Amino acid sequence: MPICTAAYSQSGTRLACDGVGGAIVTWSDRRSSPTESDIYAQRIDRFGYWGYPAPSAASAADVPGDQGGRITLAWQASRLD
């Protein structure tokens, strides 16, 4: 699976385990200029997908009048759900 398909050159690729079966990939990238490099990084999960697949909380709000017993929670589902 390609990690980067940008123009010019990418080099110096390094990998680090993310602790949950995926990896963090870093590289030196000249996509902005053929003479100057920037450093880029991308997480790849254990299935080969970019980013982090866990769901994320969108909002949380107290339900009024129940003395802190309940909240209303909204979230963005994982792409694996």
Side-chain angles (χ1 to χ4, degrees), residues 57-79:
S59 65
D62 182 45
V63 173
D66 72 344
Q67 281 64 41
R70 293 180 179 217
I71 64 167
T72 300
L73 179 64
W75 64 90
Q76 301 294 325
S78 164
R79 69 171 178 273

Side-chain angles (χ1 to χ4, degrees), residues 6-42:
Y8 298 115
S9 67
Q10 291 77 41
S11 61
T13 305
R14 300 289 185 263
L15 296 171
C17 178
D18 70 354
V20 290
I24 306 295
V25 182
T26 63
W27 66 95
S28 176
D29 193 304
R30 293 186 179 205
R31 73 180 66 181
S32 300
S33 166
T35 60
E36 295 181 25
S37 292
D38 292 316
I39 303 296
Y40 283 76
Q42 178 65 55

